[in-house]
């Protein structure tokens, strides 16, 4: 149906999240119509981002530096850490402009079905971080799915000996995703956080 280089392009595009066969075909045909210099810039941006962006050594958010901008920012509250599953959640929370503390990105949630146990996530690093620093509060902001709840309770138990642990109050339906909550909902959820029992 497609000449081989085009078939390969479509195949690669289709590996991206949210891109089905139709979208992949549309994107591929669009790419073929654009000037080569523009497509070269796209290819360069892909490779450069992949090469240069790593994880912050402190919070595991994406960063082009060993320590990310949020961790380096002295104007932020150093004694509060908000724990999230994914880097997308940091971006969502930053958009609310309500939160001025630090973050810790777990890199996922505990999910035995998918073979993800606590050791696959940055949980030990979090415990160490909380134990070794003056932390007044850890806010758990993990989506209330079954796996998210397991993760929240697990981390809560580990951190309670060291500091106050709260969880954000989701106005979201059970299973709702942090990423899809609008800014107002998320800001309210943060404001209405309560101490983990
Ligand atoms: Zn950081």
């Amino acid at each position: 149906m497609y000449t081989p280089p085009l078939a390969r392009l479509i195949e690669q595009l289709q590996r991206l999240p949210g891109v089905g066969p139709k979208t992949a075909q549309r994107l591929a045909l669009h790419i073929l119509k654009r000037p080569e210099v523009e497509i070269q810039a796209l290819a360069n941006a892909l490779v450069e981002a992949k090469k240069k962006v790593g994880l912050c050594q402190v919070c595991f958010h994406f960063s082009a530096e060993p320590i990310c901008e949020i961790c380096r920012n002295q104007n932020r509250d150093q004694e509060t850490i908000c724990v999230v599953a994914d880097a997308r959640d940091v971006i969502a929370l930053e958009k609310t402009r309500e939160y001025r503390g630090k973050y810790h990105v777990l890199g996922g949630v505990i999910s035995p079905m998918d073979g993800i146990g606590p050791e696959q996530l940055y949980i030990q690093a979090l415990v160490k971080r909380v134990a070794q620093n003056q932390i007044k509060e850890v806010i758990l902001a993990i989506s209330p799915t079954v796996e998210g709840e397991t993760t929240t309770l697990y981390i809560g138990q580990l951190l309670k000996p060291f500091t106050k642990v709260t969880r954000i109050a989701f106005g979201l339906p059970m299973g709702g995703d942090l990423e899809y909550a609008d800014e107002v909902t998320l800001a309210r959820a943060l404001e209405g956080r309560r101490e983990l029992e």
Side-chain angles (χ1 to χ4, degrees):
M1 194 156 39
Y2 303 109
T3 184
L6 180 55
R8 279 196 293 276
L9 176 57
I10 292 171
E11 192 193 308
Q12 291 302 320
L13 289 168
Q14 225 176 298
R15 293 182 175 201
L16 298 170
V19 179
K22 267 192 181 167
T23 306
Q25 180 193 299
R26 190 161 53 82
L27 289 171
L29 296 179
H30 172 80
I31 286 167
L32 291 183
K33 282 186 211 154
R34 303 307 302 168
E36 191 174 337
V37 48
E38 194 181 308
I39 300 312
Q40 191 60 58
L42 171 63
N44 290 348
L46 286 172
V47 175
E48 199 187 347
K50 184 63 195 168
K51 265 192 194 155
K52 292 193 177 163
V53 180
L55 298 181
C56 169
Q57 291 169 4
V58 177
C59 74
F60 302 96
H61 186 36
F62 287 122
S63 176
E65 309 287 335
I67 309 231
C68 78
E69 254 173 71
I70 295 173
C71 286
R72 288 200 313 258
N73 187 342
Q74 295 296 317
N75 294 323
R76 296 185 73 119
D77 174 4
Q78 313 289 320
E79 297 177 318
T80 307
I81 298 176
C82 182
V83 177
V84 296
D86 202 272
R88 287 175 307 188
D89 304 327
V90 174
I91 295 160
L93 282 158
E94 283 298 283
K95 278 191 192 157
T96 69
R97 298 174 175 279
E98 286 289 311
Y99 182 66
R100 298 298 301 158
K102 305 284 170 125
Y103 291 97
H104 192 94
V105 181
L106 296 172
V109 287
I110 297 170
S111 176
M113 294 260 284
D114 303 309
I116 302 171
E119 58 288 344
Q120 267 82 46
L121 307 170
Y122 298 112
I123 293 177
Q124 268 318 308
L126 171 65
V127 175
K128 212 170 146 192
R129 194 177 163 195
V130 172
Q132 292 178 350
N133 292 283
Q134 278 287 341
I135 304 298
K136 276 197 184 138
E137 182 181 355
V138 172
I139 303 166
L140 302 175
I142 301 164
S143 297
T145 58
V146 174
E147 292 83 5
E149 282 301 299
T150 306
T151 311
T152 293
L153 296 176
Y154 180 82
I155 294 176
Q157 294 309 314
L158 288 178
L159 295 183
K160 264 193 235 167
F162 303 105
T163 187
K164 179 179 169 187
V165 183
T166 59
R167 60 180 302 170
I168 69 171
F170 275 98
L172 302 173
M174 183 76 178
D177 206 326
L178 208 67
E179 191 194 356
Y180 299 119
D182 65 75
E183 283 144 43
V184 177
T185 307
L186 209 48
R188 232 181 267 146
L190 198 59
E191 204 176 78
R193 66 185 184 271
R194 55 191 156 75
E195 200 154 349
L196 201 71
E197 278 155 37

